[in-house]
Amino acid sequence: MMNKIKYQNTLDEIYTEVITLFGQGKVANYIPALANVEPNQFSMSITLIDGQQFNVGSHESSFSIQSISKVFSYTLALRSSNKSLDKKVWREPSGNPFNSLVQLEYEGGIPRNPFINAGAIVICDSLISTSSSQENALDKMLKLVKQCSNDPSITLNQSVAKSEMQSGFRNIALANLMKSFDNINNDVTDVLQNYFSQCAIEMNVQQLSRSFLFLANQGIDPVSKEKIISSSQAKKINSLMLTCGHYDASGDFAYRVGLPGKSGVGGGIVAVIPGKMAIAVYSPELNENGNSLIGTQALELFTTKTGVSIF
Ligand code: GLN
Protein backbone atom coordinates (compact mmCIF):
# COMPACT_ATOMS: atom_id res chain seq x y z
CA MET A 1 0.00 0.00 0.00
CA MET A 2 0.99 3.53 -0.73
CA ASN A 3 3.05 5.33 1.89
CA LYS A 4 0.52 6.91 4.25
CA ILE A 5 2.16 10.35 4.22
CA LYS A 6 1.55 10.43 0.50
CA TYR A 7 -2.23 10.33 1.03
CA GLN A 8 -2.16 13.78 2.60
CA ASN A 9 0.01 15.11 -0.22
CA THR A 10 -2.36 13.63 -2.78
CA LEU A 11 -5.39 15.24 -1.10
CA ASP A 12 -3.59 18.60 -0.98
CA GLU A 13 -2.75 18.33 -4.68
CA ILE A 14 -6.34 17.43 -5.57
CA TYR A 15 -7.61 20.41 -3.57
CA THR A 16 -5.42 22.83 -5.54
CA GLU A 17 -6.56 21.36 -8.84
CA VAL A 18 -10.29 21.11 -8.24
CA ILE A 19 -10.98 24.51 -6.73
CA THR A 20 -10.27 25.96 -10.18
CA LEU A 21 -13.52 24.26 -11.28
CA PHE A 22 -15.82 26.27 -8.99
CA GLY A 23 -18.70 27.79 -10.94
CA GLN A 24 -19.13 25.01 -13.52
CA GLY A 25 -22.06 23.20 -11.88
CA LYS A 26 -25.32 24.15 -10.19
CA VAL A 27 -26.45 23.67 -6.60
CA ALA A 28 -29.68 21.59 -6.31
CA ASN A 29 -32.45 24.15 -6.17
CA TYR A 30 -35.56 21.96 -6.39
CA ILE A 31 -35.32 21.51 -2.60
CA PRO A 32 -35.80 25.12 -1.41
CA ALA A 33 -33.88 24.55 1.85
CA LEU A 34 -30.80 23.51 -0.16
CA ALA A 35 -30.99 26.22 -2.82
CA ASN A 36 -29.04 28.76 -0.76
CA VAL A 37 -26.06 26.58 0.11
CA GLU A 38 -22.74 28.35 -0.56
CA PRO A 39 -21.61 26.80 -3.88
CA ASN A 40 -17.83 27.27 -3.60
CA GLN A 41 -17.08 24.57 -1.08
CA PHE A 42 -14.86 21.52 -1.22
CA SER A 43 -13.83 18.92 1.32
CA MET A 44 -12.49 15.39 1.12
CA SER A 45 -11.69 12.72 3.68
CA ILE A 46 -10.12 9.27 3.56
CA THR A 47 -10.53 6.76 6.37
CA LEU A 48 -8.15 3.84 6.09
CA ILE A 49 -9.12 0.39 7.28
CA ASP A 50 -7.11 0.94 10.50
CA GLY A 51 -9.17 4.07 11.26
CA GLN A 52 -6.50 6.59 10.31
CA GLN A 53 -7.90 9.68 8.59
CA PHE A 54 -6.60 12.23 6.10
CA ASN A 55 -8.63 15.34 5.29
CA VAL A 56 -8.57 18.46 3.16
CA GLY A 57 -10.82 21.52 2.78
CA SER A 58 -13.76 22.33 5.04
CA HIS A 59 -13.87 18.79 6.40
CA GLU A 60 -15.74 19.66 9.59
CA SER A 61 -18.68 21.30 7.77
CA SER A 62 -21.81 19.17 7.65
CA PHE A 63 -24.06 18.86 4.62
CA SER A 64 -27.26 17.07 3.68
CA ILE A 65 -26.36 13.48 2.73
CA GLN A 66 -29.55 13.08 0.65
CA SER A 67 -29.36 9.95 -1.53
CA ILE A 68 -26.27 8.64 0.23
CA SER A 69 -28.77 7.69 2.97
CA LYS A 70 -30.16 5.08 0.55
CA VAL A 71 -27.10 2.92 1.22
CA PHE A 72 -27.88 2.85 4.94
CA SER A 73 -31.57 2.11 4.39
CA TYR A 74 -30.72 -0.69 1.96
CA THR A 75 -28.24 -2.06 4.51
CA LEU A 76 -31.05 -2.22 7.07
CA ALA A 77 -33.41 -3.80 4.56
CA LEU A 78 -30.90 -6.54 3.70
CA ARG A 79 -30.37 -7.13 7.40
CA SER A 80 -34.04 -7.80 7.94
CA SER A 81 -33.68 -10.46 5.18
CA ASN A 82 -37.11 -9.74 3.83
CA LYS A 83 -37.32 -12.17 0.90
CA SER A 84 -40.24 -10.36 -0.74
CA LEU A 85 -37.93 -7.38 -1.30
CA ASP A 86 -36.43 -9.07 -4.38
CA LYS A 87 -39.81 -8.81 -6.08
CA LYS A 88 -40.46 -5.22 -5.00
CA VAL A 89 -37.23 -3.68 -6.32
CA TRP A 90 -34.81 -4.86 -8.99
CA ARG A 91 -31.06 -4.56 -9.21
CA GLU A 92 -30.50 -3.13 -12.66
CA PRO A 93 -29.14 0.28 -13.65
CA SER A 94 -32.01 2.52 -14.71
CA GLY A 95 -30.29 4.59 -17.40
CA ASN A 96 -32.76 7.30 -16.35
CA PRO A 97 -32.61 10.28 -13.99
CA PHE A 98 -32.96 9.53 -10.27
CA ASN A 99 -36.49 10.95 -10.08
CA SER A 100 -37.87 9.71 -13.42
CA LEU A 101 -41.45 8.44 -13.62
CA VAL A 102 -41.56 6.99 -17.14
CA GLN A 103 -39.83 3.63 -16.61
CA LEU A 104 -41.87 2.97 -13.49
CA GLU A 105 -45.12 3.22 -15.41
CA TYR A 106 -44.25 0.72 -18.12
CA GLU A 107 -42.46 -1.62 -15.73
CA GLY A 108 -45.50 -2.11 -13.52
CA GLY A 109 -44.44 -0.01 -10.51
CA ILE A 110 -41.29 -2.05 -9.76
CA PRO A 111 -38.27 0.29 -9.48
CA ARG A 112 -35.06 -0.68 -11.26
CA ASN A 113 -32.87 -0.48 -8.14
CA PRO A 114 -32.85 0.72 -4.50
CA PHE A 115 -30.70 3.78 -5.26
CA ILE A 116 -33.09 5.66 -7.54
CA ASN A 117 -35.79 7.56 -5.65
CA ALA A 118 -38.58 5.09 -6.42
CA GLY A 119 -36.45 2.18 -5.18
CA ALA A 120 -35.48 3.98 -2.00
CA ILE A 121 -39.13 4.82 -1.33
CA VAL A 122 -40.01 1.10 -1.62
CA ILE A 123 -37.17 0.31 0.80
CA CYS A 124 -38.58 2.89 3.26
CA ASP A 125 -41.97 1.24 2.97
CA SER A 126 -40.44 -2.16 3.72
CA LEU A 127 -38.51 -0.78 6.72
CA ILE A 128 -41.72 0.69 8.14
CA SER A 129 -43.40 -2.72 7.74
CA THR A 130 -40.60 -4.51 9.59
CA SER A 131 -40.22 -1.92 12.38
CA SER A 132 -41.87 -1.94 15.77
CA SER A 133 -43.62 0.81 17.72
CA GLN A 134 -40.66 0.84 20.15
CA GLU A 135 -38.14 1.56 17.40
CA ASN A 136 -39.45 3.10 14.21
CA ALA A 137 -37.71 2.96 10.82
CA LEU A 138 -36.13 6.40 11.17
CA ASP A 139 -34.77 5.63 14.65
CA LYS A 140 -33.21 2.47 13.24
CA MET A 141 -31.60 4.46 10.43
CA LEU A 142 -30.13 7.04 12.77
CA LYS A 143 -28.88 4.30 15.08
CA LEU A 144 -27.11 2.59 12.19
CA VAL A 145 -25.55 5.83 10.92
CA LYS A 146 -24.29 6.68 14.42
CA GLN A 147 -22.92 3.16 14.88
CA CYS A 148 -21.13 3.09 11.50
CA SER A 149 -19.64 6.55 11.92
CA ASN A 150 -18.86 5.93 15.60
CA ASP A 151 -20.39 9.33 16.28
CA PRO A 152 -23.56 9.65 18.39
CA SER A 153 -23.90 13.38 17.59
CA ILE A 154 -25.21 12.84 14.03
CA THR A 155 -28.72 14.08 13.46
CA LEU A 156 -31.09 15.24 10.74
CA ASN A 157 -32.12 18.71 9.67
CA GLN A 158 -35.88 18.98 10.20
CA SER A 159 -36.22 22.10 8.06
CA VAL A 160 -34.64 20.32 5.05
CA ALA A 161 -37.02 17.36 5.53
CA LYS A 162 -40.00 19.72 5.82
CA SER A 163 -38.92 21.71 2.79
CA GLU A 164 -38.81 18.53 0.71
CA MET A 165 -42.14 17.34 2.04
CA GLN A 166 -43.65 20.60 0.81
CA SER A 167 -41.94 20.66 -2.58
CA GLY A 168 -41.21 16.98 -3.38
CA PHE A 169 -43.87 16.73 -6.06
CA ARG A 170 -42.06 14.13 -8.18
CA ASN A 171 -41.41 11.90 -5.18
CA ILE A 172 -45.04 12.21 -4.14
CA ALA A 173 -46.02 11.20 -7.68
CA LEU A 174 -43.59 8.23 -7.65
CA ALA A 175 -44.95 6.97 -4.33
CA ASN A 176 -48.56 7.29 -5.44
CA LEU A 177 -47.82 5.58 -8.76
CA MET A 178 -46.22 2.64 -6.92
CA LYS A 179 -49.14 2.52 -4.47
CA SER A 180 -51.47 2.20 -7.47
CA PHE A 181 -49.45 -0.86 -8.54
CA ASP A 182 -49.69 -2.29 -5.00
CA ASN A 183 -45.97 -1.93 -4.44
CA ILE A 184 -46.33 0.30 -1.35
CA ASN A 185 -48.02 -1.23 1.71
CA ASN A 186 -48.07 1.65 4.17
CA ASP A 187 -49.65 5.09 4.06
CA VAL A 188 -47.94 7.10 1.28
CA THR A 189 -47.48 10.20 3.47
CA ASP A 190 -45.84 8.15 6.25
CA VAL A 191 -43.47 6.52 3.77
CA LEU A 192 -42.51 9.87 2.21
CA GLN A 193 -42.03 11.49 5.61
CA ASN A 194 -39.56 8.73 6.45
CA TYR A 195 -37.83 9.04 3.09
CA PHE A 196 -37.43 12.83 3.29
CA SER A 197 -36.21 12.57 6.89
CA GLN A 198 -33.50 10.03 6.07
CA CYS A 199 -32.36 12.22 3.14
CA ALA A 200 -32.06 15.17 5.56
CA ILE A 201 -29.42 13.49 7.75
CA GLU A 202 -26.38 15.75 7.98
CA MET A 203 -22.77 14.61 8.12
CA ASN A 204 -19.34 15.94 7.28
CA VAL A 205 -16.83 14.09 5.08
CA GLN A 206 -14.92 12.71 8.06
CA GLN A 207 -18.05 11.12 9.51
CA LEU A 208 -19.12 9.91 6.10
CA SER A 209 -15.86 8.22 5.11
CA ARG A 210 -15.68 6.61 8.56
CA SER A 211 -19.27 5.37 8.28
CA PHE A 212 -18.62 3.44 5.03
CA LEU A 213 -15.62 1.54 6.40
CA PHE A 214 -17.74 -1.57 7.02
CA LEU A 215 -18.24 -1.82 3.25
CA ALA A 216 -14.48 -1.77 2.75
CA ASN A 217 -14.14 -4.64 5.22
CA GLN A 218 -16.68 -7.27 4.20
CA GLY A 219 -19.47 -5.94 6.42
CA ILE A 220 -17.48 -5.70 9.67
CA ASP A 221 -16.45 -2.35 11.12
CA PRO A 222 -12.66 -2.86 11.17
CA VAL A 223 -12.12 -0.47 14.08
CA SER A 224 -14.94 -1.38 16.49
CA LYS A 225 -15.00 -5.00 15.17
CA GLU A 226 -18.81 -4.87 15.14
CA LYS A 227 -20.55 -6.86 12.45
CA ILE A 228 -22.88 -4.59 10.48
CA ILE A 229 -23.83 -7.08 7.73
CA SER A 230 -22.52 -10.32 6.23
CA SER A 231 -19.68 -10.31 3.69
CA SER A 232 -22.08 -11.50 1.00
CA GLN A 233 -24.42 -8.56 1.74
CA ALA A 234 -21.49 -6.12 1.67
CA LYS A 235 -20.58 -7.51 -1.75
CA LYS A 236 -24.14 -6.90 -2.93
CA ILE A 237 -24.21 -3.30 -1.72
CA ASN A 238 -20.83 -2.51 -3.27
CA SER A 239 -21.94 -4.07 -6.57
CA LEU A 240 -25.10 -1.98 -6.56
CA MET A 241 -23.12 1.16 -5.84
CA LEU A 242 -20.83 0.42 -8.78
CA THR A 243 -23.68 -0.24 -11.22
CA CYS A 244 -26.41 2.10 -9.90
CA GLY A 245 -24.86 4.55 -7.41
CA HIS A 246 -24.82 7.51 -9.81
CA TYR A 247 -28.15 6.98 -11.66
CA ASP A 248 -27.84 7.57 -15.42
CA ALA A 249 -24.19 8.52 -14.95
CA SER A 250 -23.22 5.28 -13.17
CA GLY A 251 -21.30 4.03 -16.21
CA ASP A 252 -19.42 7.29 -16.55
CA PHE A 253 -18.55 7.31 -12.82
CA ALA A 254 -17.32 3.68 -12.97
CA TYR A 255 -15.29 4.47 -16.10
CA ARG A 256 -13.69 7.57 -14.66
CA VAL A 257 -13.26 6.58 -11.00
CA GLY A 258 -13.23 2.76 -10.97
CA LEU A 259 -14.84 2.44 -7.53
CA PRO A 260 -18.26 1.65 -6.08
CA GLY A 261 -19.72 4.96 -4.93
CA LYS A 262 -22.93 6.73 -3.99
CA SER A 263 -23.82 10.34 -4.57
CA GLY A 264 -26.46 12.69 -3.16
CA VAL A 265 -27.90 15.95 -4.49
CA GLY A 266 -26.58 17.68 -1.39
CA GLY A 267 -23.18 17.43 -3.13
CA GLY A 268 -21.67 14.49 -1.27
CA ILE A 269 -20.15 11.34 -2.78
CA VAL A 270 -18.76 8.39 -0.87
CA ALA A 271 -16.68 5.63 -2.45
CA VAL A 272 -15.22 2.37 -1.21
CA ILE A 273 -11.93 0.61 -1.91
CA PRO A 274 -12.45 -2.88 -0.47
CA GLY A 275 -9.68 -3.93 1.89
CA LYS A 276 -8.19 -0.44 1.97
CA MET A 277 -10.37 2.59 2.72
CA ALA A 278 -13.51 4.65 2.28
CA ILE A 279 -13.37 8.12 0.73
CA ALA A 280 -15.92 10.93 1.10
CA VAL A 281 -16.00 14.13 -0.86
CA TYR A 282 -18.25 17.17 -0.76
CA SER A 283 -18.82 19.99 -3.19
CA PRO A 284 -22.40 21.16 -3.72
CA GLU A 285 -22.33 22.20 -7.39
CA LEU A 286 -23.86 19.36 -9.41
CA ASN A 287 -23.44 18.19 -13.00
CA GLU A 288 -26.42 17.61 -15.30
CA ASN A 289 -27.01 14.13 -13.79
CA GLY A 290 -27.35 15.52 -10.26
CA ASN A 291 -23.95 14.30 -9.04
CA SER A 292 -21.27 16.53 -7.51
CA LEU A 293 -19.22 17.85 -10.41
CA ILE A 294 -16.07 18.59 -8.44
CA GLY A 295 -16.61 15.56 -6.21
CA THR A 296 -16.52 13.23 -9.21
CA GLN A 297 -13.45 14.99 -10.57
CA ALA A 298 -11.68 14.73 -7.19
CA LEU A 299 -12.33 10.99 -6.99
CA GLU A 300 -11.13 10.50 -10.56
CA LEU A 301 -7.95 12.39 -9.69
CA PHE A 302 -7.50 10.30 -6.53
CA THR A 303 -7.66 6.92 -8.28
CA THR A 304 -5.57 8.21 -11.19
CA LYS A 305 -2.84 9.73 -9.02
CA THR A 306 -2.62 6.82 -6.56
CA GLY A 307 -3.26 4.04 -9.07
CA VAL A 308 -5.61 2.47 -6.51
CA SER A 309 -9.03 1.29 -7.70
CA ILE A 310 -10.94 -1.99 -7.71
CA PHE A 311 -9.55 -2.88 -11.14
N1 GLN B 1 -34.12 13.79 -1.45
C1 GLN B 1 -33.67 13.82 -2.82
C2 GLN B 1 -34.87 13.54 -3.71
O1 GLN B 1 -35.63 12.70 -3.35
C3 GLN B 1 -32.62 12.79 -3.02
C4 GLN B 1 -32.17 12.71 -4.44
C5 GLN B 1 -30.68 12.57 -4.58
O2 GLN B 1 -29.90 12.82 -3.68
N2 GLN B 1 -30.28 12.22 -5.78
O3 GLN B 1 -35.06 14.12 -4.75
Side-chain angles (χ1 to χ4, degrees), residues 1 48-49 213 215-218 272-277:
M1 194 198 277
L48 302 184
I49 213 92
L213 220 48
L215 289 172
N217 192 47
Q218 304 190 16
V272 171
I273 309 184
K276 292 193 170 68
M277 68 183 87

Side-chain angles (χ1 to χ4, degrees), residues 154-301:
I154 291 169
T155 184
L156 65 95
N157 184 326
Q158 297 287 0
S159 60
V160 172
K162 201 166 151 213
S163 171
E164 222 188 332
M165 195 72 198
Q166 285 162 353
S167 61
F169 304 113
R170 295 191 73 90
N171 289 316
I172 296 166
L174 287 168
N176 279 298
L177 184 58
M178 292 191 288
K179 183 84 176 169
S180 80
F181 281 109
D182 246 0
N183 201 19
I184 296 283
N185 296 324
N186 296 285
D187 176 72
V188 165
T189 307
D190 288 349
V191 176
L192 285 168
Q193 227 143 27
N194 244 274
Y195 170 71
F196 293 138
S197 299
Q198 74 169 52
C199 287
I201 292 173
E202 293 189 330
M203 295 168 86
N204 61 34
V205 283
Q206 287 184 255
Q207 293 163 328
L208 201 52
S209 64
R210 170 67 181 85
S211 70
F212 269 58
L213 220 48
F214 74 99
L215 289 172
N217 192 47
Q218 304 190 16
I220 295 169
D221 185 314
V223 182
S224 70
K225 312 289 181 217
E226 286 167 345
K227 180 174 175 181
I228 310 295
I229 39 167
S230 71
S231 63
S232 151
Q233 290 167 331
K235 176 194 72 181
K236 288 175 176 164
I237 296 170
N238 283 331
S239 303
L240 271 183
M241 286 203 292
L242 184 71
T243 53
C244 311
H246 285 73
Y247 323 112
D248 45 342
S250 296
D252 187 60
F253 183 86
Y255 180 79
R256 289 173 58 191
V257 179
L259 295 177
K262 184 73 205 82
S263 71
V265 287
I269 304 180
V270 59
V272 171
I273 309 184
K276 292 193 170 68
M277 68 183 87
I279 311 168
V281 56
Y282 169 63
S283 190
E285 288 185 331
L286 308 178
N287 61 23
E288 61 281 7
N289 304 104
N291 302 312
S292 172
L293 188 146
I294 289 182
T296 308
Q297 180 67 19
L299 286 165
E300 181 178 3
L301 283 171

Side-chain angles (χ1 to χ4, degrees), residues 1-47:
M1 194 198 277
M2 186 171 167
N3 180 338
K4 286 180 178 175
I5 295 163
K6 285 201 184 142
Y7 285 126
Q8 189 59 52
N9 295 340
T10 306
L11 290 188
D12 294 342
E13 260 176 58
I14 291 171
Y15 181 84
T16 324
E17 288 181 45
V18 298
I19 57 170
T20 62
L21 302 173
F22 282 147
Q24 294 192 6
K26 283 203 180 77
V27 168
N29 57 7
Y30 72 98
I31 303 173
L34 295 183
N36 296 324
V37 165
E38 159 60 42
N40 295 352
Q41 295 188 70
F42 176 76
S43 55
M44 189 164 184
S45 170
I46 298 171
T47 307

Side-chain angles (χ1 to χ4, degrees), residues 93-115:
S94 66
N96 275 297
F98 61 87
N99 56 6
S100 172
L101 282 144
V102 282
Q103 204 167 37
L104 201 55
E105 165 72 356
Y106 62 75
E107 293 188 351
I110 313 289
R112 277 289 177 104
N113 66 69
F115 294 159

